[in-house]
Amino acid sequence: MTSGSIQASPAATEQQSAPEDTGKDTEDTKNTKGTQKSAKKGTKRRRMRRTPMGSHQKAETRALLAAMVSLAIAYVATTVFLEQASAIWLISGRKMLAAATIIAVSSFIMFIIGYARTPMMPAPKAVRALRRLPLRVLRRVIEACALSIVFSATAFFMSYALLSAVNTMMGKDLFDSLMPGIVGAFAGVASYLGFIQASSLSAKAIATMLPLFVISGVTVAALTSDDPWWWHNNFSQLGDRTTFAAQLFNATLILAGLCIIIVTYFASFELTTTQMVSKGDDNSPEGTDSPEGARKSRINVARIVIFSLLLSLTGVGLIGVGSFRYTPHPVLHNVFARGMSVPMGLLLVLLPWLMPQLSRFLYAFSYMIVAVDCCDLLRWLKGDTTLTSVEALACLTLFAWVIAFSRQIAAIQADRIQARILAAARSTDLTVNDEADGLAGMTDPQRARRPLTADTPDSPVNDSQPTNP
């Protein structure tokens, strides 16, 4: 009895302890499954995580937000104006003026915000060394003020004309009932375009906006002028008064001159950058140690300086014409008006030497502009045409050349960026091929001992990380 009981006790003990071990295994299995589920959830969350937006996508998103905010603010402002304004401001002309002002102010604010959020233009190290922070800040302030005024003034002119046309088509009663929504829609579109233009500012964008601004400003000044016979003399007659139309015309010329100077800066910066990058080294341009390389470098700098000076003097001429009216300042007005043709003519004639990297078609186009303007000037001297037509043709050809030149500069910039991307891609492919050749020459033990990296062809590639630059 005693021995049987002694022998049975271990079996009983095992039977009693077995359920406890099974319970512990069950708990461990549950913990393992929970860990696996959490890991799967984390993997799904990582897969569902969105990739960060790029600069262009952010600009589009912010532009849409700016349009929605401007639409709401313009709607409320127009509603308050129609309810609180006096009877004299509810006349069609003044009502359109107030609505166009609301649209222009909203586009002005959104243009400033878009330009302020745009980072400074990237540049190679050799170019960044030549730029000082106070000058860059001053340049951005001048650019922001001039370009925002130009864009908002263009929005004012265009919206005034469009609102007048819509009022004529819809009728006064129907237009008045829908006016807050129409003004809000116009403000939203203008703010969206202004934010986008400010976010991707370039010489091409400024030059494309410049003729539209000048033509709309001169047209509104001519339509609101109290002198219906001004065109018999010249354009100076349109601005030779103290009325609203004359002040509008002079302000248009001043802002157009500032835009030409800003285009000059963008173009000279891009030409300088292209010259630095084409040397092959951003830090120290190749070939400048030799006498021949130093001479070529000085010639290129002289070309850019002369080009910038001639085009800037053309902009200064427009500013002088708008600043000094003919009646109180006849001498200064004539100096700026007639002297403006000298630097522009020299620039068109010397363009093949100043800008050898441009296309031959642009050189031919420049010579054609000089020939056409000279022929029209000779016709005026013979009495076959008016001075107004000569000035109009000269202004149109000037802005046409500025647009063509700016697009050439933008094309040079795009080609430079594309060449750098292709060069980076080729260097990456060469590195991968070298790694593959090195692995092919190894024995199996060496290959097994070699750690896998992101640059080797055998390493796993993460889908969230692009392999190309």
Side-chain angles (χ1 to χ4, degrees):
M1 293 293 294
T2 306
S3 61
S5 62
I6 293 173
Q7 292 177 354
S9 59
T13 304
E14 290 179 358
Q15 292 177 358
Q16 293 177 358
S17 60
E20 294 179 359
D21 294 341
T22 305
K24 290 181 181 180
D25 293 340
T26 305
E27 291 179 359
D28 294 340
T29 305
K30 290 182 179 180
N31 293 333
T32 305
K33 291 182 178 179
T35 305
Q36 292 177 354
K37 289 182 179 180
S38 62
K40 290 181 179 179
K41 290 181 179 180
T43 305
K44 291 182 179 179
R45 289 176 182 175
R46 286 195 295 270
R47 291 177 180 175
M48 295 175 61
R49 187 179 301 169
R50 296 179 180 179
T51 57
M53 294 189 298
S55 59
H56 297 285
Q57 190 177 1
K58 287 181 180 179
E60 290 289 341
T61 305
R62 292 165 181 166
L64 289 175
L65 179 61
M68 295 174 62
V69 172
S70 297
L71 190 151
I73 294 176
Y75 184 90
V76 174
T78 307
T79 304
V80 172
F81 169 78
L82 293 177
E83 293 177 355
Q84 303 295 331
S86 58
I88 193 173
W89 277 98
L90 296 179
I91 302 174
S92 296
R94 296 195 176 188
K95 185 168 57 178
M96 300 301 170
L97 184 66
T101 303
I102 293 173
I103 297 172
V105 170
S106 62
S107 63
F108 175 84
I109 295 174
M110 294 306 168
F111 191 96
I112 288 288
I113 294 175
Y115 188 76
R117 296 186 65 89
T118 304
M120 290 189 180
M121 188 183 304
K125 296 179 181 179
V127 180
R128 287 197 297 266
L130 302 176
R131 303 169 69 195
R132 299 295 182 264
L133 182 60
L135 295 178
R136 285 185 290 172
V137 173
L138 179 62
R139 174 186 62 83
R140 286 181 67 87
V141 170
I142 295 175
E143 286 176 3
C145 294
L147 296 176
S148 58
I149 292 174
V150 168
F151 185 84
S152 59
T154 306
F156 174 83
F157 299 146
M158 298 298 293
S159 59
Y160 184 87
L162 291 175
L163 288 173
S164 301
V166 172
N167 185 26
T168 304
M169 291 186 297
M170 297 178 63
K172 182 178 181 301
D173 296 334
L174 181 59
F175 180 79
D176 289 345
S177 62
L178 300 177
M179 186 175 176
I182 295 174
V183 174
F186 278 39
V189 173
S191 300
Y192 175 82
L193 295 177
F195 199 98
I196 291 296
Q197 287 286 340
S199 300
S200 58
L201 197 62
S202 62
K204 181 176 67 174
I206 300 171
T208 305
M209 185 172 56
L210 181 60
L212 180 63
F213 163 70
V214 174
I215 292 173
S216 59
V218 173
T219 302
V220 172
L223 292 175
T224 57
S225 176
D226 56 353
D227 184 9
W229 305 103
W230 63 268
W231 56 273
H232 286 279
N233 296 323
N234 49 38
F235 276 99
S236 298
Q237 185 70 23
L238 182 59
D240 195 19
R241 291 174 180 270
T242 57
T243 59
F244 171 77
Q247 293 177 357
L248 179 61
F249 176 76
N250 294 328
T252 301
L253 293 182
I254 293 173
L255 291 174
L258 286 176
C259 285
I260 289 179
I261 294 175
I262 294 173
V263 169
T264 304
Y265 169 78
F266 275 89
S268 60
F269 174 82
E270 176 55 35
L271 292 172
T272 304
T273 304
T274 304
Q275 177 186 349
M276 294 289 186
V277 174
S278 62
K279 303 296 183 179
D281 187 4
D282 289 344
N283 294 320
S284 60
E286 185 178 344
T288 55
D289 296 336
S290 62
E292 184 66 21
R295 187 183 67 84
K296 289 183 179 180
S297 180
R298 288 194 299 268
I299 291 176
N300 291 330
V301 172
R303 287 172 176 172
I304 296 175
V305 170
I306 294 173
F307 158 77
S308 302
L309 181 61
L310 292 176
L311 193 55
S312 297
L313 287 177
T314 305
V316 171
L318 282 175
I319 296 174
V321 172
S323 301
F324 301 100
R325 294 187 292 114
Y326 179 78
T327 298
H329 311 285
V331 177
L332 289 175
H333 185 86
N334 288 332
V335 166
F336 284 107
R338 298 176 182 178
M340 181 174 56
S341 60
V342 176
M344 193 62 200
L346 290 175
L347 177 60
L348 295 178
V349 173
L350 298 176
L351 189 63
W353 180 79
L354 294 175
M355 302 291 160
Q357 61 269 49
L358 300 179
S359 64
R360 295 180 179 178
F361 178 80
L362 187 61
Y363 303 149
F365 182 65
S366 303
Y367 291 149
M368 184 184 69
I369 289 175
V370 174
V372 170
D373 290 343
C374 289
C375 291
D376 200 29
L377 181 61
L378 291 176
R379 291 182 64 235
W380 172 71
L381 294 176
K382 293 179 180 179
D384 297 336
T385 185
T386 61
L387 183 59
T388 305
S389 63
V390 176
E391 293 176 344
L393 180 62
C395 290
L396 290 177
T397 52
L398 169 64
F399 294 136
W401 183 88
V402 170
I403 292 176
F405 172 76
S406 301
R407 296 190 71 87
Q408 286 280 324
I409 295 299
I412 292 174
Q413 181 183 14
D415 292 340
R416 175 175 59 82
I417 295 174
Q418 184 180 12
R420 291 175 68 88
I421 292 175
L422 293 176
R426 284 194 295 267
S427 64
T428 304
D429 294 338
L430 291 175
T431 303
V432 172
N433 292 333
D434 292 341
E435 291 286 341
D437 294 340
L439 288 174
M442 291 182 182
T443 60
D444 292 337
Q446 290 175 344
R447 185 191 293 267
R449 289 194 301 268
R450 189 178 186 275
L452 293 177
T453 60
D455 295 333
T456 60
D458 295 338
S459 61
V461 179
N462 191 359
D463 295 335
S464 62
Q465 297 178 356
T467 56
N468 294 327

